[in-house]
């Protein structure tokens, strides 16, 4: 049976677009896109692809807990097998994260565990890093701290600004995230004993190298 996927967004949705474009229909279907902002451009992308959309405005809820409870009720009515955070700019409560344990993915614009949180590109530049990148991971209670699935390094080149670097990292995200989604949808990727496992084995410290990708992809163990 196809994996039922729900994608959560807050903004442009360029990652959502990549997920839509590269989802293997033999294994999965995006059944819903949810945004906490009515003006998120990603809602238009979803509608154009014929995917149902819903807006849940966090401002009308009295607390973070109340918002997350409302979201869970809404999401569960779609029986999701996989939830994908794609630029969803809300910190999630432990209740939410634990409810979707093992079926909640996030993409973060850094080579985790480096540069958790915001402004990752500028922080990598300020630190004089030679490379930066993006990481897909399972979500746990620790912000940007869940088991790592796969990451794509992006070299930092002379003259890079936060904007040029962000643009290149986003290009890699658009390759990375669909791959992780398709791994999960086809049953190859699972969270086992709090480690990301591909084909039943914990992802290794080097070289899950994906075909037809310019970027060097690295599967990593949790750290
Ligand atoms: C991405 O850069 C992702 O790393 C971060 O939020 C951004 C979302 O961009 N979590 P978009 O809405 O997918 O264009």
């Amino acid at each position: 049976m196809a994996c039922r996927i729900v994608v959560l967004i807050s903004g442009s949705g360029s990652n959502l677009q990549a997920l839509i474009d590269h989802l293997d229909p033999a294994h999965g279907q995006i059944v819903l896109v949810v945004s906490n902002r009515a003006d998120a451009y990603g809602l238009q992308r979803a509608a154009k692809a014929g995917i149902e959309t819903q807006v849940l405005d966090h401002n009308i809820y009295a607390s973070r807990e109340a918002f997350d409870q409302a979201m869970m009720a809404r999401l569960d009515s779609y029986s999701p097998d996989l939830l994908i955070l794609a630029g969803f700019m809300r910190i999630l409560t432990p209740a939410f994260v634990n409810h979707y344990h093992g079926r909640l993915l996030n993409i973060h614009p850094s080579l985790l565990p480096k540069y958790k949180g915001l402004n990752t590109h500028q922080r990598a530049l300020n630190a004089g890093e030679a490379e930066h990148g993006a990481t897909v991971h399972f979500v746990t209670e620790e912000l940007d701290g869940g088991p790592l699935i796969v990451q794509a390094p992006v070299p930092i080149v002379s003259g890079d600004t936060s904007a040029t670097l962000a643009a290149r990292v986003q290009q890699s995200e658009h390759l990375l995230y669909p791959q992780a989604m398709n791994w999960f949808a086809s049953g190859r990727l699972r969270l086992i004993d709090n480690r990301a496992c591909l084909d039943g084995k914990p992802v290794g410290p080097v070289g899950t190298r994906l075909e037809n990708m310019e970027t060097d992809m690295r599967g990593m163990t949790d750290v």
Side-chain angles (χ1 to χ4, degrees):
M1 219 173 66
C3 177
R4 294 175 61 80
I5 302 168
V6 173
V7 184
L8 275 63
I9 62 167
S10 297
S12 144
S14 69
N15 276 286
L16 167 66
Q17 190 66 58
L19 296 170
I20 291 170
D21 292 344
H22 299 293
L23 174 63
D24 180 349
H27 295 300
Q29 185 193 359
I30 300 175
V31 294
L32 178 69
V33 170
V34 176
S35 173
N36 63 317
R37 296 179 52 116
D39 62 354
Y41 179 64
L43 291 169
Q44 293 182 42
R45 297 181 192 267
K48 204 169 161 201
I51 299 168
E52 188 174 343
T53 62
Q54 295 212 14
V55 176
L56 248 95
D57 181 356
H58 58 275
N59 290 306
I60 65 170
Y61 294 90
S63 65
R64 194 176 289 281
E65 285 72 21
F67 173 65
D68 278 10
Q69 290 297 331
M71 255 204 318
M72 280 190 260
R74 190 74 62 93
L75 297 176
D76 284 349
S77 69
Y78 287 80
S79 307
D81 299 305
L82 174 64
L83 246 65
I84 300 184
L85 304 176
F88 185 66
M89 301 303 283
R90 298 277 307 163
I91 291 176
L92 297 164
T93 56
F96 185 98
V97 167
N98 292 328
H99 183 66
Y100 296 108
H101 183 77
R103 49 185 173 136
L104 183 56
L105 302 185
N106 185 41
I107 193 160
H108 183 75
S110 79
L111 295 175
L112 288 172
K114 286 185 171 179
Y115 307 115
K116 297 176 179 180
L118 299 174
N119 302 321
T120 59
H121 310 299
Q122 192 58 54
R123 285 159 61 208
L125 287 172
N126 292 349
E129 298 279 5
E131 65 174 16
H132 187 42
T135 305
V136 179
H137 63 96
F138 282 103
V139 178
T140 59
E141 284 188 37
E142 192 195 336
L143 186 67
D144 300 327
L148 308 187
I149 297 165
V150 62
Q151 59 184 196
V154 171
I156 293 181
V157 298
S158 147
D160 253 339
T161 63
S162 175
T164 59
L165 184 55
R168 283 209 313 289
V169 169
Q170 270 227 330
Q171 283 179 0
S172 76
E173 290 181 8
H174 298 161
L175 303 172
L176 201 59
Y177 221 179
Q179 181 61 72
M181 169 184 66
N182 283 324
W183 276 340
F184 192 97
S186 64
R188 297 184 59 195
L189 171 67
R190 286 293 179 265
L191 185 64
I192 302 170
D193 294 335
N194 218 37
R195 295 181 80 175
C197 293
L198 193 60
D199 300 327
K201 297 189 194 80
V203 290
V206 280
T208 306
R209 214 183 169 101
L210 303 181
E211 286 171 39
N212 305 322
M213 294 185 72
E214 288 171 19
T215 322
D216 195 3
M217 313 281 290
R218 297 189 302 203
M220 291 190 64
T221 47
D222 193 12
V223 285

